[in-house]
Amino acid sequence: MIPNNIMTKKFIKTIVGSLLATGLLLTDAVAQQTPAPKQTRAISIEGATAHLGNGQVIENSLIMFDKGKITFVGSANARIARQGEIIKATGKHVYPGFIAANTSLGLAEIDAVRATRDFDEVGTMLPHIRSIIAYNTESRVVETMRPNGVFIAQVTPRGGRISGTSSVVQLDAWNWEDASVKLDDAIHINWPSIFTRGRWWLGEVSDLKPNKQYPVAVNQLKDFFQRAKLYLQGDRTAVNLPYEALEQVFKGRKKVFVHVNGKKSISDAIHFFKKLGINSVVIVGGHEAEQVASLLSTNNIPVVLKRAHRLPTKEDEDYDLPFRSAKILTDAGILVGVGMSGDMERMSTRNLPFYAGTYGAYGLGKEKAVQLITGNNAKILGIDKQMGTLEVGKDATLFISEGDALDMRTNILTKAYIQGRALSLDTHQTKLWKRYSNKYKNQ
């Protein structure tokens, strides 16, 4: 007979081995695919229609890049030696990688599971909270962005009066350090609402009514910024992290993204920061921004609009006003981008190009719609020297599509690159699609 202790050891060894094997299989099944290696060979894309991201288009283009940087942008008729691998893309389209502003992408995985949600911290005034620390490069939601051409995102916290600090990331990385494109680009403030609704769960009437606490909330913000200013001008003996986080804001090196809607609220917010001497302000949401367009234009304040697919908020508004808002603001000389806050925002971020396409279809035009999520968003986020347009010297963050990338019927990517690295376009969703396509194809 085998001694009990030996049998016990064998049993434990067998169980541990089985668990490890199962764990490895599960890890392989659910983990993000391995990030692409650095570019080692030059690439030339020839014959495609190039949408540069600045409103310009080059038919029959030649785009070349090496070591992660674009080295040539021009006509395929140019007498210039092609470099490295030559990709024939006649009949296809080349775009800069799309940039999603104002999204909590990578900060939560499953809305119904609290442990996976890391976008909202406890507290009210939290400018020192950094979203980048919580960004999850292994998110299965993040990988679903790439097949639609969304390669860059401004990872933004939510909640509180001052939610925290966002950062800009690229969506193919091992960890947040690798992902970072621009660290701590802006703080995000949720401007108080002028109106409020009754709490239905307490039996109150749910109709809109003036918010009596509006001036109180504005004064609290004012007091916070004034105290921070005094602190930063003092000796800072006792360190105050929230106040420290505002130093770069007062110096103009970090932007303030004000999440605000309504004509009066937007106007109040603009004057509020102007009095504080803070000029790097961006309006986010911007419902009724068209009613204060001259004020926005005069103060050179960009607007990050919500998704186009939303309803009017007032009974007397045109049904298509949300679709036309980008056109109205652009015509007024305002720099306009597109953000992703709202219901199902992380999953819906992959639809960014189609929201831009709706803005394009309602007066803005296709190339200016492309600008919303490329060159414009890059300028608003302060990364336009590095990416956002197809220009020599910028990062080779781009893709080839079989058709119009703003149309969900034809936005079919064949090649994609971030900083010159060739991306995998496989995701959990594409694997399931292929699996079940084959099932029904064989029946």
Side-chain angles (χ1 to χ4, degrees), residues 69 378-379 382-389 391-395:
K69 297 292 183 180
K379 286 179 183 177
I383 57 173
D384 53 305
K385 292 183 179 178
Q386 184 178 350
M387 57 186 59
T389 55
E391 295 181 57
V392 173
K394 290 192 177 183
D395 287 355

Side-chain angles (χ1 to χ4, degrees), residues 255-269:
K255 295 185 179 183
V256 176
F257 277 57
V258 187
H259 299 243
V260 57
N261 293 290
K263 176 183 176 181
K264 185 179 186 309
S265 295
I266 295 171
S267 179
D268 287 351

Side-chain angles (χ1 to χ4, degrees), residues 153-204:
Q154 181 194 36
V155 179
T156 305
R158 301 283 184 242
R161 182 63 65 210
I162 302 179
S163 303
T165 301
S166 60
S167 288
V168 183
V169 299
Q170 53 88 4
L171 305 183
D172 185 61
W174 288 100
N175 48 48
W176 68 261
E177 292 94 335
D178 292 339
S180 299
V181 171
K182 186 172 183 179
L183 285 174
D184 306 325
D185 68 298
I187 68 164
H188 291 256
I189 296 175
N190 296 303
W191 191 261
S193 176
I194 288 180
F195 297 100
T196 185
R197 288 186 183 275
R199 296 166 293 183
W200 59 267
W201 59 92
L202 294 179
E204 297 175 356

Side-chain angles (χ1 to χ4, degrees), residues 225-414:
F225 274 89
Q226 287 177 338
R227 286 177 180 272
K229 201 168 190 177
L230 289 172
Y231 165 85
L232 294 169
Q233 292 170 350
D235 59 10
R236 308 193 201 181
T237 304
V239 175
N240 186 305
L241 290 179
Y243 292 165
E244 290 279 351
L246 293 179
E247 182 173 18
Q248 300 304 312
V249 171
F250 284 113
K251 290 182 177 180
R253 298 172 186 168
K254 184 186 291 187
K255 295 185 179 183
V256 176
F257 277 57
V258 187
H259 299 243
V260 57
N261 293 290
K263 176 183 176 181
K264 185 179 186 309
S265 295
I266 295 171
S267 179
D268 287 351
I270 292 171
H271 292 303
F272 176 91
F273 288 103
K274 197 172 182 179
K275 287 180 180 178
L276 287 170
I278 297 172
N279 298 314
S280 296
V281 174
V282 176
I283 298 299
V284 182
H287 176 66
E288 293 188 353
E290 65 277 359
Q291 296 184 31
V292 289
S294 60
L295 181 63
L296 290 163
S297 180
T298 300
N299 289 279
N300 196 29
I301 296 177
V303 176
V304 174
L305 289 172
K306 288 184 177 180
R307 322 169 203 173
H309 298 178
R310 50 193 165 89
L311 295 172
T313 59
K314 294 182 179 178
E315 292 181 356
D316 58 349
E317 282 183 354
D318 292 343
Y319 77 93
D320 60 352
L321 180 61
F323 304 155
R324 294 188 292 109
S325 56
K327 163 71 171 172
I328 296 169
L329 294 174
T330 299
D331 286 350
I334 297 166
L335 181 64
V336 180
V338 179
M340 287 304 307
S341 63
D343 293 339
M344 300 285 289
E345 67 177 85
R346 290 170 293 283
M347 286 63 78
S348 295
T349 298
R350 63 175 173 263
N351 294 323
L352 177 70
F354 313 136
Y355 299 132
T358 299
Y359 283 127
Y362 280 79
L364 190 63
K366 187 177 296 184
E367 295 311 315
K368 286 188 177 180
V370 170
Q371 274 186 267
L372 295 178
I373 55 175
T374 54
N376 287 11
N377 267 357
K379 286 179 183 177
I380 292 170
L381 302 185
I383 57 173
D384 53 305
K385 292 183 179 178
Q386 184 178 350
M387 57 186 59
T389 55
L390 300 178
E391 295 181 57
V392 173
K394 290 192 177 183
D395 287 355
T397 299
L398 51 90
F399 64 89
I400 304 173
S401 173
E402 288 189 4
D404 181 358
L406 303 189
D407 186 336
M408 65 178 64
R409 297 167 299 180
T410 56
N411 183 8
I412 303 170
L413 273 62
T414 57

